[in-house]
Structure formats: C-alpha cells, structure tokens
Amino acid sequence: MSETVTSRLSGFHKLPMDERLATLARMFRLSPGDLEQLRGTEALQPVLANQMIENAVGTFSLPLGLGLNLQVNGRDYLVPMAVEEPSVVAAVSFASKIVRENGGFSAEADESMMIGQIQVTRFGDPTEAAEKILAHKEQLLALANSFHPAMVARGGGARDVEVRILPAPEGPRGEPLLVVHILIDTQEAMGANLINTVAEGVAPLVEQITGGKVYLRILSNLADRRLARATCRIPLAALADFEMPGEIIAEGIAQASRFAEADPYRAATHNKGVMNGIDAVAIATGQDWRAIEAGAHAFACRNGQYRPLSTWYLEEGHLVGRIELPMALGMVGGPIKVHPGVQMALKLLRASGVRELSMVFAAVGLAQNFAALRALGSIGIQKGHMALHARCVAVTAGARGDWVEKLADLLVQAGHVKVEKAREILASLSAEDAKAATTGTTV
C-alpha cells in the first residue's frame, strides 16, 4: 500500500541507500524494475545511447539525489537532482526546510511561448519592409501553423508576428538588421525542432513579401515570453543560527543581494549558485540545460548590465526572496520519452505539465541561492562545504564503507580537509582498522 507523498523525510540522509529506496517504493508504488533503475543497474543501455547521439562509445553516470522538503503552492515535491558537487542536494533540502516551515514557496509560470527568428537582408527601406511583413501577418501565421497541425489542434501553434529593426553592428554605413519574430506556443514541448521547422518553412514567404534575402532561421534561447517566478517570505527570527540572531543573518543576505545588483562580477557567482540547483534538476529530467543556462544569463543582462536572477530584501520583519528567469522546459520530445532514467525522475517529481515543472525549477533555484547567501552572509561558504567535501576526500584517500563518514569527521575536526591528511590518518590506524577502512569490511 502506498504512503502519502511528502517531501519532508526527516533523517532520510542518514538511512542506508536500500532503506531510502524502500521508502520511495512505498510512497510511489515502485516496481522492482523501478528500483533497479534508480540503483543504476538498469541504466541507459549502450544500444539506446548509440541511437541518441553520434559516435557513441558508452554512457556516463552522475550521482542522482533527491532534494527534500520542497513545497510550492502548497504541494510537496521530491526533486531528482543529477549532480557531482557534494553540497548541492544538501543545500536545497536545508533551505527548503526553512522556507517550508514558514509557508513554502509561491510560484507562477507563463505559457509556453517561444520565439523563432528570421533574419532578412537586402530588403530596401527597413520601415517599408516591416510594414509589408505586418500587413501579411495572418498569411504568415497560417503558413506557420500548416507545418504543425497537431500542435494547433492541442491549442498551441503560431500566435503572433513581430518585426525588429536593429542598428548595423558596423555602424551608420552598414545595413540595418531586419528580424522577424514568429511567436509560437509550444505547449508541453521545449520546442526547438518545432520552431526551427516553422522558421525555415516561413522564410521563403518572408523573402517574397520583402524582396529581401533570408539567412538565419532558428529559435531564440532567450525565452523571455516564457518566464517562471518564485517567492518566499521568512520571519527574521526563523533565520537565527550559528549563535547569531536572525536579524544579523538576514541583513547579511540582503547585503549580498545588493552587492550582486551593483556588481556583475558578484552577480555571475550569485547566478551560478542559482543554476547549481536548476541544472541538476534539468539534467535529471532530460531538459536542454545548455539552453536554460543561455537563456538565464541573457535574461540577466537584458537591461544593459549583468544582474542577479534573484533578489533578497527586508520587509516588515521578514526576509523576502524573489526569482524570475526564462524556463523553456519540455515534458515531451528529446530524450524525455527515450531515456529510462529521465522517465523515472519525472515519475518521482509528479509535475502535471511544463508550467508546473517550471515553477518547481524556479523554487529550486531560489532555495539553492538562499542556502548559499545564508552561509556567505554569516559564517562563510567554506565551513558549510567542509563536511560534505570531506566525504569525497575520504573516498579519494581510499576509505570505504562506514570509514568514509568516520574519516570525514576526523578531517573536519582537524580543520584540514585534504587528501594527504586523510592518507596520514589512514596510515596511523592499526593493521586491522586499516584493512576495514580501505575494504569496507567490519572488524
């Protein structure tokens, strides 16, 4: 019998992996095959990998973890995260717990509107060319929708036509750029192939209308008509930690946010923290994480200066966090229906569609950012990373089994989390303990 799905799994990180899987099996009614998929013993097979990309020689694995405690718009989510960095899953789980205890995240997302770009040259007078294109808007939309009738039947398809006239990059003597935008509702798809098909299909008609020559015909990854937003509101008292009052920690977070708004050098690292969480979920769920990254960073400098994707400020005794960024996701197409690991990740996440999925992504990004700024604005980032990093150092030094955690604790206590220190500790053990530490056996 299944249990109620909750993201609040106290002590989950302390359980052996088999017990974590047993918890998921009860909660989601997972089959033995599902569990084998999560363990990685039935991972992407070479024959399927060979069909997905060119020159395939095998597959590559990343750890798959679950971000816990996330609650968005009153609903719980267990968030699959594929990532190699030790602190990412722990950070989003810890931050989400604080937010959850104070009302959770609120989020919203736009419809799936994407942009197909058509670059026109040799068009004569740019104003006249633009007017001609707009005069034929209905004809262009009808042609665009003819390429994907099934999408139109589902309520999507081409919705509008826009024209942009851009100054020549060479200066006043160069030809201005005329760019036609076809706005397309891609519904549950990310939509890259669909958009490119439309842009290429409509290009000959654009040439006929303008008398010009079309070159590039492709989607834009700056999906600024497809934004996701998330917010949270935390009482200052709930932030108290590290023997510091909540007011001081909140002030540190707000000041870090101000720094990122003023300085692109800081904003780049601020946004990297946001994308730590978003990328990990994107990889686990088969999204085009490169397109998400490109769109996010382009959006961050839309006003002429690279700025943070999220902001934090103090308001009426609360710390308030907000994030907004493009989120071009898909629930169909690409590897989503092909890769068995992606299907399992989406099964655990339980999002009903791309808009809900986008809201979860935005909340994860804000949670990840909150965890980083909370450490930066108080005790510093290294102390929080040290314990998690120590496990990787212990394994690298040769520790196995229970000794990974034991050696990690010794490294943290010594305040010297380095491989050479870990090897020194292992070398100092008795012969029996050394054997147990490096083989994972019990003495």
Side-chain angles (χ1 to χ4, degrees), residues 163-295:
V163 181
R164 299 168 65 224
I165 301 173
L166 308 176
E170 305 85 357
R173 294 185 180 181
E175 180 187 48
L177 278 75
L178 185 70
V179 184
V180 180
H181 280 190
I182 309 292
L183 303 186
I184 304 168
D185 182 354
T186 60
Q187 297 279 287
E188 294 301 299
M190 183 274 185
N193 291 331
L194 181 156
I195 297 161
N196 294 341
T197 297
V198 168
E200 291 180 1
V202 168
L205 180 55
V206 171
E207 289 183 329
Q208 180 183 327
I209 292 168
T210 61
K213 169 67 177 174
V214 166
Y215 282 95
L216 266 67
R217 301 143 292 168
I218 192 169
L219 89 160
S220 171
N221 286 124
L222 177 51
D224 59 1
R225 315 299 175 90
R226 193 176 184 178
L227 303 177
R229 292 163 287 273
T231 64
C232 64
R233 189 176 178 88
I234 308 168
L236 299 186
L239 295 168
D241 205 351
F242 315 118
E243 299 181 352
M244 299 171 65
E247 291 81 0
I248 297 298
I249 292 178
E251 178 67 19
I253 293 170
Q255 290 294 347
S257 182
R258 291 182 69 241
F259 186 5
E261 289 187 76
D263 182 17
Y265 289 90
R266 172 60 206 146
T269 311
H270 180 108
N271 289 343
K272 190 268 184 182
V274 169
M275 301 311 292
N276 274 346
I278 289 174
D279 283 349
V281 188
I283 292 169
T285 57
Q287 307 301 320
D288 186 345
W289 59 270
R290 300 157 303 275
I292 296 169
E293 280 272 355

Side-chain angles (χ1 to χ4, degrees), residues 390 393-395 397-399 402-412 421-423 425-426:
V393 170
V395 172
D402 292 343
W403 267 95
V404 172
E405 205 69 41
K406 291 180 184 178
L407 183 54
D409 289 342
L410 291 172
L411 290 170
V412 172
K421 181 64 176 178
R423 288 174 176 156
I425 293 172
L426 288 175

Side-chain angles (χ1 to χ4, degrees), residues 379-404:
I379 58 170
I381 201 78
Q382 285 304 99
K383 187 171 182 180
H385 278 225
M386 190 177 289
L388 294 163
H389 178 57
R391 296 177 192 165
C392 290
V393 170
V395 172
T396 302
R400 298 294 182 267
D402 292 343
W403 267 95
V404 172

